């Protein structure tokens, strides 16, 4: 999933008084996936404490199975859907809480999750989120994971919305 990887990294931090913003960026590609990620914090002390952070990342690949494999799934090797885009945004509101968003889209499917989560060690990722999944045909994505349903091949349009609370 990571053949022909070429990534450029940037890091800037610090100043004489320690008040300069901290930024870290990654841009490049791997196996046809365009990758862009950026992390920012107001200064080094806040970066280390996780306060005031902003993390944004986007991955785009014409082949959904390649992108899904790159983010940790183990898809079966066939073309299911095209033009996959995964994006993540995490913006800290204080040292403990953050606004979070995740979207995954293909030519026929859109998944989004948005909410407020806890970043503290004791309650990591607990919070409230809204999830939405809409697909003109969800069958190919199920098949990528080896999931077959009765009468496969007839299409499976899907619309799902949910409010989730994690503790």
């Amino acid at each position: 999933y990571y053949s022909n990887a070429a990534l450029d990294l940037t890091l800037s931090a610090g100043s004489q008084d320690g008040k300069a913003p901290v930024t870290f960026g990654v841009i490049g590609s791997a196996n046809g996936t365009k990758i862009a990620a950026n992390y920012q914090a107001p200064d080094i002390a806040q970066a280390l404490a996780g306060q005031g952070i902003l993390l944004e990342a986007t991955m785009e690949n014409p082949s959904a199975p390649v992108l899904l494999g790159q983010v940790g799934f183990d898809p079966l090797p066939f073309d299911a859907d095209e033009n996959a885009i995964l994006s993540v945004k995490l913006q800290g509101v204080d040292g403990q809480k953050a606004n979070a968003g995740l979207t995954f889209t293909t030519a026929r499917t859109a998944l989004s999750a948005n909410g407020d989560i806890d970043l503290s060690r004791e309650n990591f990722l607990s919070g409230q989120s809204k999830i939405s999944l809409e697909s003109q045909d969800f069958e190919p994505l199920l098949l990528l994971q080896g999931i077959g349903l009765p009468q496969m091949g007839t299409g499976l349009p899907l619309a799902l919305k949910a409010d989730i609370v994690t503790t």
Side-chain angles (χ1 to χ4, degrees):
Y1 295 115
Y2 301 101
S3 62
N4 300 319
L7 301 173
D8 291 325
L9 307 174
T10 60
L11 173 65
S12 65
S15 67
Q16 291 290 342
D17 60 3
K19 299 291 184 198
V22 175
T23 61
F24 175 76
V26 176
I27 192 165
S29 63
N31 198 12
T33 298
K34 296 176 191 172
I35 301 166
N38 186 42
Y39 171 86
Q40 295 176 282
D43 58 44
I44 290 177
Q46 289 182 340
L48 294 174
Q51 297 175 338
I53 63 168
L54 174 62
L55 172 68
E56 296 177 296
T58 303
M59 299 174 71
E60 298 180 41
N61 194 306
S63 172
V66 171
L67 182 61
L68 290 170
Q70 289 173 328
V71 298
F73 289 93
D74 190 18
L76 295 174
F78 69 89
D79 289 332
D81 209 348
E82 59 278 338
N83 301 325
I85 302 171
L86 175 71
S87 63
V88 176
K89 182 175 182 178
L90 182 69
Q91 183 160 14
V93 292
D94 65 29
Q96 305 277 324
K97 307 281 183 188
N99 297 324
L102 175 128
T103 60
F104 174 74
T105 59
T106 65
R108 294 184 297 260
T109 300
L111 168 71
S112 68
N114 295 289
D116 297 317
I117 60 171
D118 196 319
L119 299 177
S120 70
R121 183 174 297 153
E122 301 81 26
N123 300 309
F124 189 65
L125 295 183
S126 64
Q128 298 180 352
S129 301
K130 292 186 180 295
I131 295 178
S132 171
L133 173 62
E134 294 184 24
S135 182
Q136 295 170 6
D137 186 5
F138 199 64
E139 277 184 356
L141 294 173
L142 290 174
L143 287 173
L144 278 177
Q145 294 304 306
I147 299 170
L149 298 175
Q151 297 187 357
M152 287 296 262
T154 59
L156 181 61
L158 181 67
L160 171 75
K161 291 186 182 199
D163 292 337
I164 294 180
V165 176
T166 55
T167 57

